[in-house]
Amino acid sequence: MREFPRQLIRRANLWFEPLLGLIFPNVCQLCGQEPATKAMGYVGATCRKEIKRIEPPLCDRCGLPFSGAITQNFECSNCQELDLAYKWSRASVAAEGPVLEAIHRYKYNRQLWFEPFLVEQWLQGARDSVITGGFDLLVPVPLHPWKEREREFNQSERLARAISRELMIPVNSRLVERIHHTRAQAKLDRKARAQNVKRAVRMRKDLRLNGQRILLIDDVLTTGATTSACAKALIDGGASEVCVWTVARGL
Ligand SMILES: [Zn+2]
Ligand SMILES: [Zn+2]
């Protein structure tokens, strides 16, 4: 019963979401010092100046940017070590500053009003490449059901649905599921993480793909281990190719 009032408040937040524009003053929710509208995801112009876009040259595989000129295909040493199942992954912006703050508050504190801002960041980097890329389906990276129950939503799924409405590419959030709980992930080193996650995603038994090209969607790419596990499950399940585009990535 102790949980009840908190749950009720959370649900009320969801119902009132469309009314946010009426309730919220048009003020940047990151700095509180400048105007910002609902359509801007309540992130103002000054805070936006801190955003670092990810620009080429990049590692062909994981999208890690490099300084200096690279004239031929290049794969970073990290990717050469890992056995990644996706064809390539890209991110629109660096996971730092206002973007990281908005992502954290969006997913851990349920501050859903940042969503238009995050979708806008994703689209700015991804729109053209994704439209010409000929993808059949968007798939959000799944959360473990325990985490989803705790958080009450999967941020990747919400982002994928918003992106799907913009790009007119269908989304399917039921294809892959998490099977192990990877709570202590953050404390593990890169290799242990990869091992832990490798078997942690599976394609749902009753579903099967037929050569579709899939774009995986997530908020942040860290080591790429989870997205790689998803890609492997999808390829084993009949996808012809899996690529990844996240809002942000660590540099
Ligand atoms: Zn601001
Ligand atoms: Zn790489």
Side-chain angles (χ1 to χ4, degrees), residues 97-162:
V99 173
L100 192 59
E101 173 80 17
I103 286 173
H104 278 169
R105 286 163 60 172
Y106 174 65
K107 68 177 174 183
Y108 300 124
N109 300 340
R110 218 186 156 68
Q111 298 185 1
L112 301 177
W113 49 86
F114 285 120
E115 190 167 289
F117 169 69
L118 298 174
V119 171
E120 182 195 331
Q121 298 313 307
W122 191 97
L123 286 167
Q124 273 194 13
R127 188 191 285 271
D128 294 349
S129 309
V130 171
I131 286 173
T132 54
F135 292 97
D136 301 303
L137 205 55
L138 306 179
V139 173
V141 170
L143 270 186
H144 190 281
W146 296 353
K147 265 194 192 166
E148 187 158 345
R149 221 167 295 147
E150 192 178 292
R151 208 174 282 175
E152 290 186 2
F153 75 115
N154 174 1
Q155 74 281 357
S156 306
E157 186 178 345
R158 278 195 66 116
L159 293 170
R161 293 201 181 282

Side-chain angles (χ1 to χ4, degrees), residues 10-75:
R10 282 180 165 199
R11 296 210 186 280
N13 274 346
L14 256 196
W15 295 334
F16 288 129
E17 202 195 340
L19 300 175
L20 270 178
L22 302 177
I23 298 165
F24 260 46
N26 283 336
V27 170
C28 174
Q29 293 301 306
L30 291 179
C31 68
Q33 307 284 322
E34 56 176 336
T37 62
K38 182 177 187 241
M40 292 165 78
Y42 295 103
V43 178
T46 310
C47 286
R48 284 166 181 257
K49 283 190 187 135
E50 306 291 313
I51 299 169
K52 196 189 277 177
R53 309 218 160 276
I54 292 182
E55 312 273 5
L58 310 170
C59 165
D60 280 343
R61 185 48 90 85
C62 74
L64 182 73
F66 278 88
S67 51
I70 294 171
T71 47
Q72 64 222 78
N73 292 4
F74 181 82
E75 203 165 282

Side-chain angles (χ1 to χ4, degrees), residues 58-236:
L58 310 170
C59 165
D60 280 343
R61 185 48 90 85
C62 74
L64 182 73
F66 278 88
S67 51
I70 294 171
T71 47
Q72 64 222 78
N73 292 4
F74 181 82
E75 203 165 282
C76 75
S77 55
N78 191 27
C79 286
Q80 287 168 10
E81 253 172 53
L82 295 171
D83 184 21
L84 294 167
Y86 50 75
K87 190 183 179 203
W88 49 254
S89 86
R90 296 290 180 270
S92 297
V93 294
E96 56 186 57
V99 173
L100 192 59
E101 173 80 17
I103 286 173
H104 278 169
R105 286 163 60 172
Y106 174 65
K107 68 177 174 183
Y108 300 124
N109 300 340
R110 218 186 156 68
Q111 298 185 1
L112 301 177
W113 49 86
F114 285 120
E115 190 167 289
F117 169 69
L118 298 174
V119 171
E120 182 195 331
Q121 298 313 307
W122 191 97
L123 286 167
Q124 273 194 13
R127 188 191 285 271
D128 294 349
S129 309
V130 171
I131 286 173
T132 54
F135 292 97
D136 301 303
L137 205 55
L138 306 179
V139 173
V141 170
L143 270 186
H144 190 281
W146 296 353
K147 265 194 192 166
E148 187 158 345
R149 221 167 295 147
E150 192 178 292
R151 208 174 282 175
E152 290 186 2
F153 75 115
N154 174 1
Q155 74 281 357
S156 306
E157 186 178 345
R158 278 195 66 116
L159 293 170
R161 293 201 181 282
I163 290 161
S164 164
R165 285 192 292 272
E166 282 288 326
L167 300 185
M168 312 290 279
I169 301 172
V171 53
N172 190 326
S173 58
R174 286 197 65 245
L175 285 171
V176 281
E177 61 184 349
R178 293 285 262 267
I179 45 180
H180 289 266
H181 194 49
T182 49
R183 188 180 282 278
Q185 276 294 85
K187 289 182 187 140
L188 302 174
D189 68 24
R190 192 180 289 264
K191 276 225 168 107
R193 255 176 105 128
Q195 278 307 109
N196 197 8
V197 180
K198 224 169 202 171
R199 292 173 297 269
V201 181
R202 74 172 167 211
M203 182 96 175
R204 277 185 211 266
K205 286 198 182 76
D206 53 328
L207 299 173
R208 183 83 200 156
L209 287 160
N210 187 20
Q212 282 92 337
R213 296 192 64 227
I214 290 180
L215 187 68
L216 273 169
I217 310 270
D218 208 353
D219 52 347
V220 184
L221 183 91
T222 45
T223 63
T226 308
T227 36
S228 182
C230 289
K232 185 168 186 320
L234 288 163
I235 285 168
D236 291 348

